[in-house]
Amino acid sequence: MHNRLQTDIPPGPLHSKWDNYRFNSRLINPTNKKKYKIIVIGTGLAGASAAASLAELGYNIQSFCLQDSPRRAHSIAAQGGINAAKNYANDGDSIQRLFYDTIKGGDFRSREANVYRLAQISNQIIDHCAAQGIPFAREYGGHLATRSFGGAQVARTFYARGQTGQQLLLGAYGAMMRQVAEGRVQIHPRTEILDIVVVDGRAVGVISRNLIDGRLERHAADAVIVASGGYGNVYCLSTNAMSSNVTAAWRAYKRGAAFANPCFVQIHPTCIPVHGKHQSKLTLMSESLRNDGRVWVPKKAGDPRPPEQIPEDERDYFLEVRYPAFGNLVPRDVASRNAKEQCDNGKGVGDSGLAVYLDLSDAIRRQGEEEIFRKYSNLFEMYEKITGDNPLRTPMRIYPAVHYTMGGLWVDYGLMTTLPGLFALGEANFSDHGANRLGASSMMQGLADGYFVIPATIAPYLADIQPGRINSDHPQFAVCEHEARDKTARLLAIKGRRTVDDFHRRLGNILWNKCGMSRNEHDLRRALEEIPRLRQEFWQNVIVPGSGNTLNQSLERAGRVADFMELSELMVHDALERRESCGCHFREESQTADNEALRDDEHYAHVTAWEYQGPESKPVSRREALDFENVKLSQRNYK
């Protein structure tokens, strides 16, 4: 492992760093590219676009996904849109403004060089996807349409109704399948990565498990890319797909890749509230609804009347009152904290009191029911199926929930982790979003990393190594396979009395209550006592029926929850060390006089990257100082 965090940020002015990096990087000629093999873990927007782009260049790609088809990756659930600085609306947007909004939205806890590159590439993404035939919404005259999103005062978000993630993923999937037909991509569906194989300090392959028959397999490569998404399911209740997990990234961490800012977790303000104690996941309602919806609660605490019986002068449009410049389009963390505050003060609505209204009635009166339904029809249909209410007739009820994770594997400017040969893309890395991701930027980052960044940044690494120098017969593959098999055997041998889901739910409750939207020193220290006890009980009393030689979803979940148990402790260590409020992470000891988040730039303007020290030792933290040369550090103000 590197002793220092070497960011590899190129010299020069911010606007020319990416060009300088590419010009000064070593290249591989087209004939030699076909000699290299690259493993890509995950087939979401980052993984599928990376596999397609690298194969198009001539590399041989091994692609792995949990699902029965790559097109079922969780990126398909992304709804609202994708940002780009095209300025089609002629409302003052630019690459510089997108860069600044993203830096500010992340509460000045992201790396300038990476974020500026993201803003630069954003325009290429739209051109590329439009050329693929992605059915973006269009204006009457045929031009691509845009809409506003939280944290911006310009309309820069391109969208395909509420199905943007699905359409973009199908585009990346189609590009990848073209390479499958060409023989340059081999897909391994229904396959889970159980370990990263490291030889001589370099990532050289993986150990995988076939989820259908339980077979463990060895796969060697010249480089490994982790694009397996985020770890929001550590909270049990989140907007993530049930299969979303941290296992591949966690294995990378335990093999030498630093894990950065693990406590940075996004809370999304527009989710359907919890409706039962045995609920397994939460459903997201796109942030795009805040374009036309107004958020409010009754002015009187405990008001039992249905919303249509509460007159206008008895409604508290709290976001519009408190943040007049942005109104309902404040960033997600600001909207989430304010919604929680209203509910904590007794103004929450619904049976649980843990919800606020998102009301589209004003927009319906202005634009007509048909136009509003055209914009959000699939969201309305999904909401009505879950709640039984029609949003065209009665206001939606929403409440914040765990959504995206800004923490992840630490990467340098070229997206390589501290483990040489291991790269991390999309939500699996930490790099672009700081302490809070602006809406419509996850798809932007995933496609930027996959289509445009990794094809340029992997070549300098590969150019320095001999292709195929390590194969799966190397003794380290046997060692890793044995360790993976042993862990499976341990889980199956426990024969306890509590289910995996029970342990997962209890872990999620600890994290949500003590390391969620609001945190304090006392609760975090309590969590560091409770999590190890729960983990010990898990390994003594969990029940995993069935065997390891067949399809066994209980075994799959047990392995993932075991990893969540370890990750959660690291998250709390990280939250405890960061004694400031920033982004989604409200540290109760650090707030302004009017209860806004109070950053501490003197002590915490850095990335915290954690290095694994073994199962019995506390991880070691290292810091990457965040130097802001092009933006002025200031307390965020959306008023």
Side-chain angles (χ1 to χ4, degrees):
M1 182 184 298
H2 297 163
N3 291 323
R4 297 190 307 275
L5 294 173
Q6 300 170 327
T7 60
D8 202 25
I9 297 173
L14 191 62
H15 68 270
S16 60
K17 287 184 184 293
W18 181 225
D19 288 338
N20 289 342
Y21 181 95
R22 288 180 292 173
F23 179 74
N24 291 302
S25 293
R26 294 188 61 186
L27 301 177
I28 301 173
N29 76 54
T31 302
N32 287 338
K33 285 190 177 82
K34 62 185 179 183
K35 300 176 183 177
Y36 291 92
K37 182 185 291 185
I38 301 170
I39 285 172
V40 180
I41 304 169
T43 58
L45 288 177
S49 61
S53 301
L54 292 169
E56 188 78 41
L57 290 172
Y59 297 108
N60 295 294
I61 307 299
Q62 299 288 311
S63 172
F64 295 82
C65 67
L66 293 169
Q67 300 81 8
D68 58 347
S69 166
R71 67 181 180 273
R72 295 187 186 275
H74 184 54
S75 296
I76 205 168
Q79 298 169 343
I82 177 171
N83 287 331
K86 285 288 193 180
N87 196 31
Y88 285 165
N90 196 29
D91 54 1
D93 202 9
S94 64
I95 289 172
Q96 181 69 21
R97 189 177 294 277
L98 175 55
F99 157 71
Y100 180 75
D101 284 348
T102 307
I103 287 279
K104 177 184 175 183
D107 218 349
F108 303 94
R109 290 295 176 262
S110 45
R111 189 189 288 156
E112 276 192 343
N114 287 63
V115 176
Y116 194 86
R117 176 177 65 189
L118 179 64
Q120 285 177 300
I121 290 174
S122 68
N123 292 337
Q124 294 173 262
I125 296 171
I126 300 303
D127 293 340
H128 185 78
C129 292
Q132 286 180 327
I134 304 303
F136 287 122
R138 293 179 180 267
E139 305 289 358
Y140 178 78
H143 297 293
L144 295 182
T146 56
R147 58 188 175 196
S148 300
F149 249 65
Q153 291 179 300
V154 295
R156 65 161 66 101
T157 304
F158 295 78
Y159 62 99
R161 294 204 306 176
Q163 305 172 1
T164 314
Q166 178 179 357
Q167 300 303 328
L168 291 173
L169 182 61
L170 289 174
Y173 168 75
M176 183 172 68
M177 293 307 293
R178 176 179 179 274
Q179 296 304 317
V180 171
E182 294 289 330
R184 288 193 286 264
V185 173
Q186 182 180 359
I187 297 174
H188 301 268
R190 295 266 179 118
T191 303
E192 183 161 27
I193 302 303
L194 297 185
D195 209 348
I196 307 293
V197 182
V198 179
V199 175
D200 298 329
R202 295 176 182 264
V204 296
V206 299
I207 302 298
S208 67
R209 179 177 184 269
N210 186 308
L211 296 180
I212 301 301
D213 59 20
R215 284 183 297 113
L216 299 189
E217 298 175 347
R218 309 174 186 179
H219 300 273
D222 300 298
V224 177
I225 294 172
V226 177
S228 53
Y231 50 88
N233 273 351
V234 68
Y235 286 85
C236 188
L237 285 180
S238 81
T239 66
N240 291 263
M242 292 293 290
S243 61
S244 296
N245 63 83
V246 74
T247 295
W250 194 246
R251 289 293 174 278
Y253 164 72
K254 295 181 79 169
R255 291 298 181 187
F259 208 105
N261 297 339
C263 80
F264 280 0
V265 177
Q266 177 158 78
I267 311 296
H268 197 293
T270 55
C271 297
I272 298 177
V274 176
H275 58 260
K277 64 180 182 179
H278 296 297
Q279 192 171 343
S280 58
K281 78 176 301 292
L282 297 172
T283 302
L284 172 70
M285 289 287 102
S286 170
E287 184 183 355
S288 61
L289 290 163
R290 290 199 280 151
N291 272 288
D292 291 303
R294 302 179 70 191
V295 179
W296 64 274
V297 292
K299 287 184 177 179
K300 180 182 177 182
D303 193 328
R305 292 175 294 175
E308 61 273 10
Q309 293 181 15
I310 301 176
E312 190 73 16
D313 62 354
E314 295 181 33
R315 299 179 179 188
D316 181 4
Y317 294 93
F318 55 92
L319 293 178
E320 298 173 28
V321 171
R322 193 167 185 177
Y323 308 99
F326 282 74
N328 295 295
L329 288 175
V330 292
R332 291 174 175 176
D333 61 318
V334 177
S336 295
R337 277 202 308 273
N338 278 268
K340 180 179 185 296
E341 182 181 4
Q342 296 298 323
C343 295
D344 289 347
N345 291 337
K347 294 183 180 181
V349 301
D351 294 338
S352 67
L354 295 176
V356 299
Y357 288 126
L358 179 62
D359 192 341
L360 292 142
S361 56
D362 280 2
I364 292 172
R365 281 193 293 270
R366 284 195 317 272
Q367 302 174 43
E369 187 174 295
E370 183 178 341
E371 174 62 14
I372 295 299
F373 186 77
R374 184 189 66 81
K375 287 183 182 179
Y376 307 114
S377 57
N378 61 309
L379 299 175
F380 291 168
E381 290 163 359
M382 182 164 55
Y383 182 87
E384 187 169 7
K385 281 184 179 179
I386 293 172
T387 68
D389 291 334
N390 182 349
L392 294 171
R393 302 286 177 265
T394 186
M396 295 171 126
R397 292 186 302 276
I398 58 169
Y399 192 71
V402 172
H403 179 50
Y404 188 92
T405 53
M406 285 82 65
L409 294 176
W410 185 92
V411 291
D412 64 14
Y413 187 74
L415 304 185
M416 187 158 72
T417 69
T418 55
L419 179 59
L422 184 75
F423 297 79
L425 276 57
E427 194 178 358
N429 74 34
F430 87 99
S431 68
D432 293 348
H433 306 302
N436 171 56
R437 179 176 68 78
L438 284 185
S441 59
S442 64
M443 291 183 268
M444 177 173 63
Q445 186 209 350
L447 293 181
D449 287 356
Y451 279 139
F452 298 105
V453 179
I454 195 63
T457 62
I458 201 169
Y461 171 77
L462 294 175
D464 283 335
I465 66 172
Q466 182 69 30
R469 66 186 184 88
I470 301 291
N471 61 44
S472 59
D473 292 330
H474 190 282
Q476 188 60 30
F477 278 85
V479 170
C480 291
E481 181 181 339
H482 174 76
E483 291 177 2
R485 198 181 304 279
D486 180 62
K487 181 176 181 180
T488 297
R490 284 180 61 204
L491 287 168
L492 291 168
I494 296 171
K495 307 298 183 186
R497 300 173 64 87
R498 288 188 174 273
T499 65
V500 174
D501 290 345
D502 178 58
F503 280 104
H504 195 183
R505 194 173 296 113
R506 291 162 65 191
L507 176 65
N509 285 335
I510 294 172
L511 280 184
W512 179 250
N513 292 323
K514 296 180 172 63
C515 191
M517 245 192 299
S518 183
R519 306 155 181 199
N520 61 63
E521 180 107 6
H522 176 265
D523 284 348
L524 290 169
R525 293 197 180 280
R526 283 284 304 278
L528 282 181
E529 297 171 358
E530 294 173 14
I531 292 171
R533 287 201 299 266
L534 184 64
R535 183 170 67 247
Q536 182 179 18
E537 183 185 350
F538 173 88
W539 283 102
Q540 294 173 348
N541 199 30
V542 73
I543 180 169
V544 183
S547 74
N549 301 319
T550 184
L551 176 67
N552 188 341
Q553 292 185 319
S554 292
L555 177 60
E556 296 170 32
R557 289 197 295 271
R560 295 165 192 168
V561 171
D563 292 330
F564 284 147
M565 291 278 184
E566 297 178 2
L567 165 68
S568 62
E569 192 168 344
L570 183 66
M571 292 170 66
V572 177
H573 278 301
D574 190 49
L576 194 58
E577 187 170 290
R578 188 170 287 273
R579 292 177 170 84
E580 66 164 351
S581 293
C582 62
C584 298
H585 317 98
F586 192 70
R587 189 67 182 261
E588 294 171 13
E589 301 92 335
S590 182
Q591 54 184 297
T592 65
D594 56 351
N595 304 118
E596 296 284 3
L598 179 62
R599 282 200 331 270
D600 181 354
D601 295 327
E602 181 181 354
H603 299 102
Y604 297 103
H606 61 253
V607 175
T608 306
W610 296 86
E611 297 177 352
Y612 183 66
Q613 301 296 305
E616 303 301 325
S617 302
K618 180 183 175 181
V620 170
S621 65
R622 299 190 185 279
R623 295 179 177 181
E624 174 200 338
L626 294 171
D627 299 317
F628 296 96
E629 301 174 2
N630 298 273
V631 299
K632 181 181 178 181
L633 284 168
S634 60
Q635 289 297 321
R636 287 194 301 166
N637 182 1
Y638 292 97
K639 297 180 179 181

